[in-house]
Amino acid sequence: MKMINKHYWVVGQVTKAEVMLVGNGEGHVLGMFESRGLAHIGNEVVVVTSWVQGDLMDGTGPIRGYTRYAYEDGSTIISRTEYTCTSNPESKTRLYKNGYGDFIRGTGRFEGIKGSSSWKGRQVTPISNETKGDWIVEGDMVYTLPPR
């Protein structure tokens, strides 16, 4: 099997956010977030949707969930995703570090995919009624596909 490497960029926005304060001290929250964005992967534009949950203390903590990459031809990749969210000392936004995704399923031309992605990024605007938390990430995919 041939190893395939693809560099990518994703620009997106939080589309839903449910945040609950934890009663053990100021700044501790549990959150559920849905995001949607557009990726440029190789020479293709791909719709990326993520559903993640976070346990954050003063904006810092682990984020885990799932990401779907939906290609124009209907093929998809589903990834189990995790990363670390930290406060950006230069603004009221967040940095995304140690991003990792393990490909757990593919459909169409990605049926049988094995591989992963790694990435880093940042929140560009804070989550508010106006901005919804715009973000950008840059990363690399490495995967194999079974012979056809």
Side-chain angles (χ1 to χ4, degrees):
M1 281 189 253
K2 178 182 173 189
M3 184 72 63
I4 300 165
N5 292 312
K6 298 222 173 164
H7 189 74
Y8 67 93
W9 285 86
V10 184
V11 177
Q13 182 179 80
V14 174
T15 54
K16 291 182 187 175
E18 294 290 330
V19 179
M20 297 181 293
L21 293 173
V22 175
N24 64 352
E26 193 172 321
H28 189 181
V29 299
L30 296 177
M32 296 286 294
F33 306 94
E34 178 184 80
S35 292
R36 183 176 168 93
L38 291 176
H40 186 259
I41 303 174
N43 62 355
E44 297 183 87
V45 175
V46 180
V47 176
V48 177
T49 308
S50 294
W51 302 270
V52 298
Q53 60 186 9
D55 184 350
L56 306 171
M57 179 67 80
D58 294 323
T60 298
I63 305 284
R64 291 184 179 88
Y66 296 89
T67 300
R68 179 183 64 214
Y69 301 86
Y71 289 75
E72 287 186 76
D73 69 357
S75 298
T76 63
I77 299 171
I78 303 294
S79 175
R80 188 176 8 254
T81 303
E82 59 184 68
Y83 57 97
T84 303
C85 185
T86 63
S87 294
N88 184 346
E90 298 174 14
S91 69
K92 293 181 180 181
T93 60
R94 307 286 175 252
L95 299 173
Y96 306 137
K97 300 179 178 180
N98 305 316
Y100 180 80
D102 182 33
F103 299 146
I104 59 173
R105 183 169 189 260
T107 65
R109 64 184 151 118
F110 296 106
E111 187 76 39
I113 191 170
K114 301 280 187 221
S116 62
S117 65
S118 60
W119 49 270
K120 64 181 178 180
R122 65 187 174 88
Q123 190 180 16
V124 178
T125 59
I127 295 175
S128 71
N129 289 334
E130 182 183 340
T131 65
K132 304 293 186 207
D134 304 295
W135 51 267
I136 186 168
V137 299
E138 178 181 11
D140 293 289
M141 293 180 162
V142 179
Y143 60 89
T144 60
L145 296 168
R148 300 268 178 231

